[in-house]
Amino acid sequence: MESYEPERLSSAQLAAMRRSLTSGRGALTRRSLLRASGMGALALGGMATLGACGIPPAKRADAGAPSDDHSAEEKEVTFSNWTEYMDVSEDEKGRPTLEAFTERTGIRVKYTEDINDNVEFFGKIKPQLAAGQNTGRDLICVTDWLAARIIRLGWAQKLDPSNLPHAFANVSAQFRTPDWDPGRAYSYPWTGIPTVIAYNVKATGGRKVDSVTQLLDDPKLKGRVSFLSEMRDTIGMTLLDQGKDPGKFTDTDFDGAIGRLQKAVDKKQIRRFTGNDYTADLSKGDIAACVGWAGDIIQLQADNPDIRFAIPAAGYITSSDNLLVPAQARHKTNAEKLIDYYYEPPVAAQLAAYINYVCPVDGVRDELAKIDESMASNTLILPDKEMAAKSRSFRSLSAKEETAYEEKFAKLIGA
């Protein structure tokens, strides 16, 4: 078996992962805020695995080779997903869309909520992938940066377009061509995660807050502003405000964004950098305005009518969680059929109505309106054309870039 020299994670990368796992995207509301507090130990265990074992710098020549597909004789598919990321029946005993898929196709779905954060999950499946072995999963759902890494290492199977007619036709334009998987040859988005500006209209005295410039410069907001401790979100939003493209920025552009934020830190405009713990302060009005995640804002609005959001004219950052078929999966065709099923608008609408994240499926609005008109008109779930046109993704980073950028960002936020 081919062996690897481990590529060890830098201290800056490990620190960034700790932030993500304890209060950042590793603890987003889709995992349920009530449950997130119990995930830290498990998540940090996964991070320790990565830190000790390293990440292979190059892919195995045979790792991404197509596996023997047993879909025809084994009518089953094993799907690993995040918690709170699938519709549940009113009695909480069933999963309606999965059950309907089985009834239609005869394919039984073994559905497991065993992804608590990207780092922990990657630590769990990496040994089998690196060894060219079956992970026991036919379909997984991971965030874009990890999807990019798995694809780059050759550990995801190339999808068969003939099994994905709905997915190919209906994936929204803003998710169609990520730089890490152009044309979606290996992946399809499950949901989008927008980063927006949020504010408490009572705390702002009725004023709208709709730009990063306003967050950084408005003296009436001094000391009552927060940004996220996730580098891609905070730097990405600042780059956009400076007229730079987060998908194409240079080292000089990055340094310019850091400098812009540092000035606001120095003059105490920014109160702090946070994970999703900004939500309590925003709801109380201690934070008047911030950069935050759309999923949090939808939930806050349900309890507090003073919470508003704005999409900056300069644009906003969107990340995504994505479906992949791991190398050596036994039921690739069945997994592709399941992916395609969730790109049928009626099914996509049923899922979106439950999880409240951006639906990546075109043509779903009318179907969602049949379930809940307010959700169909909520642009944090179904972005309109104007909002979708402003969506930008943070470009993929090399290992060298990630180390350098995380070190600079850690210094900025005092991590």
Side-chain angles (χ1 to χ4, degrees), residues 81-137:
N81 205 350
W82 301 85
T83 60
E84 307 293 323
Y85 234 20
M86 180 63 71
D87 56 302
V88 177
S89 60
E90 289 187 8
D91 63 6
E92 299 187 353
K93 295 181 179 179
R95 301 189 180 278
T97 58
L98 288 176
E99 291 162 4
F101 173 78
T102 298
E103 185 176 351
R104 181 200 297 184
T105 65
I107 299 170
R108 182 176 62 86
V109 183
K110 181 182 178 182
Y111 185 76
T112 308
E113 293 180 325
D114 62 344
I115 305 180
N116 295 313
D117 64 81
N118 290 285
V119 178
E120 179 264 339
F121 183 67
F122 187 54
K124 186 186 300 184
I125 65 174
K126 186 177 75 71
Q128 293 103 317
L129 291 172
Q133 298 171 352
N134 179 13
T135 66
R137 300 165 177 86

Side-chain angles (χ1 to χ4, degrees), residues 61 78 86 103 107 138 140 156 178 184 188 195 203 270 283 315 331 339 352 367 386 413:
T78 300
M86 180 63 71
E103 185 176 351
I107 299 170
D138 302 304
I140 61 175
R184 293 290 181 180
Y188 271 92
T195 302
I270 297 175
S283 188
H331 309 109
I339 295 172
E367 296 294 337
E386 181 181 1
I413 68 175

Side-chain angles (χ1 to χ4, degrees), residues 24 26 30 35 60 70 109 213 249 264 267-268 272 289 295 301 364 398 400 410:
R30 64 171 175 236
R35 298 182 185 181
R60 288 172 51 98
H70 300 269
V109 183
T213 291
F249 68 89
K267 66 182 183 181
K268 302 188 186 308
R272 62 193 184 107
Q301 287 178 324
V364 78
S398 67
K400 182 179 179 181

Side-chain angles (χ1 to χ4, degrees), residues 27-29 31-39 84 299:
L28 276 174
T29 51
R31 285 67 148 177
S32 173
L33 291 176
L34 294 176
R35 298 182 185 181
S37 60
M39 296 176 183
E84 307 293 323
Q299 293 198 10

